[in-house]
């Protein structure tokens, strides 16, 4: 039986897949990486994944924009908090820090965001929002055991079906992102770079033209 040999590894890669990092294709993420390198600035390693296959990147970022930043009965700030909290449960340091920074910008309260990530029950967050994050934890860690009582609990907390849909979508999206990022070896950047790049995302969202 014929087998296809693996592509040879290339030098100077910080990702696990050197070919992915070293062969960016023309597009917005190619340009962003080039600009960051020319200025010596830190940049988010996920840009390497997005630059590798621009068609995938375009579909993914537009889906992310629709779920995370378009009008919905659940705030953009809470959706970004869901992203950070989900990522903390999955121990994805890059996504946790990136989206904690976005949420902190939107809430204008970095201490609050990190208190929620570290101790949800002890944090100064409205009970309605805590109920949503408890549900997010169950989606992430015990999705097979979700049933009608979980939805009823959210209804009792004040969430309607459309809000719950967006909560589920935000959590599911970042369960994907966490695995995509961690398995490819994307590493965190400096706290300053997280804040700088997050401020742009908080204002404009995910799409890069």
């Amino acid at each position: 039986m014929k087998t296809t040999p693996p592509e040879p590894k290339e030098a100077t890669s910080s990702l696990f897949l050197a070919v992915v990092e070293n062969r960016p294709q023309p597009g917005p993420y190619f340009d962003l990486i080039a600009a960051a390198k020319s200025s010596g600035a830190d940049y988010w390693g996920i840009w390497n994944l997005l630059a590798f296959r621009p068609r995938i990147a375009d579909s993914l970022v537009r889906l992310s924009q629709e779920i995370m930043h378009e009008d919905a009965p659940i705030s953009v700030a809470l959706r970004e908090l869901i992203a950070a909290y989900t990522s903390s449960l999955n121990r994805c340091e890059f996504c946790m820090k990136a989206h904690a920074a976005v949420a902190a910008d939107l809430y204008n309260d970095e201490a609050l965001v990190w208190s929620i990530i570290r101790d949800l029950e002890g944090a100064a967050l409205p009970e309605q929002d805590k109920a949503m994050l408890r549900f997010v934890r169950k989606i992430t860690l015990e999705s097979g055991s979700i049933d009608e009582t979980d939805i009823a609990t959210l209804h009792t907390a004040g969430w309607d079906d459309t809000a719950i849909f967006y909560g589920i979508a935000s959590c599911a999206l970042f369960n994907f992102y966490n695995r995509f990022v961690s398995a490819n070896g994307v590493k965190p950047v400096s706290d300053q770079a997280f804040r700088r790049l997050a401020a742009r995302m908080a204002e404009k969202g995910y799409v890069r033209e």
Side-chain angles (χ1 to χ4, degrees), residues 2-203:
K2 289 185 177 181
T3 60
T4 302
E7 295 183 74
K9 286 195 173 184
E10 299 182 21
T12 65
S13 175
S14 58
L15 297 182
F16 297 149
L17 306 177
V19 167
V20 172
E21 182 165 348
N22 292 320
R23 296 185 189 174
Q25 302 303 306
Y29 293 96
F30 181 102
D31 296 339
L32 285 167
I33 292 167
K37 287 182 175 179
S38 68
S39 67
D42 282 347
Y43 68 91
W44 285 352
I46 194 172
W47 292 355
N48 293 111
L49 308 184
L50 299 172
F52 183 59
R53 288 293 182 265
R55 287 178 59 189
I56 293 175
D58 184 66
S59 298
L60 184 55
V61 298
R62 290 185 188 281
L63 173 65
S64 302
Q65 179 74 18
E66 189 66 34
I67 291 173
M68 300 297 293
H69 273 248
E70 298 303 328
D71 289 343
I74 176 171
S75 71
V76 173
L78 182 55
R79 279 176 273 171
E80 289 291 342
L81 184 57
I82 287 170
Y85 187 63
T86 298
S87 301
S88 74
L89 296 170
N90 285 323
R91 299 170 62 189
C92 179
E93 186 180 3
F94 172 83
C95 288
M96 178 184 68
K97 288 185 173 180
H99 293 277
V102 179
D105 191 281
L106 292 164
Y107 280 105
N108 195 29
D109 194 336
E110 184 174 353
L112 172 65
V113 169
W114 282 105
S115 72
I116 293 162
I117 290 171
R118 292 175 178 133
D119 178 16
L120 172 61
E121 300 306 327
L125 190 69
E127 179 58 30
Q128 183 182 26
D129 293 355
K130 285 184 179 180
M132 180 62 77
L133 290 175
R134 292 186 196 109
F135 182 56
V136 162
R137 181 169 58 211
K138 190 167 185 179
I139 294 170
T140 301
L141 302 179
E142 306 173 65
S143 61
S145 65
I146 292 170
D147 58 27
E148 293 87 348
T149 61
D150 297 298
I151 305 304
T153 297
L154 289 174
H155 287 159
T156 300
W159 294 112
D160 65 18
D161 284 357
T162 305
I164 295 167
F165 172 89
Y166 276 93
I168 292 169
S170 301
C171 177
L173 180 66
F174 275 86
N175 271 288
F176 164 78
Y177 269 125
N178 295 161
R179 286 151 179 80
F180 188 47
V181 161
S182 294
N184 275 289
V186 174
K187 297 173 179 62
V189 293
S190 68
D191 289 347
Q192 182 180 13
F194 272 126
R195 293 187 187 101
R196 173 175 54 82
L197 294 164
R200 187 267 174 201
M201 183 173 282
E203 180 183 359

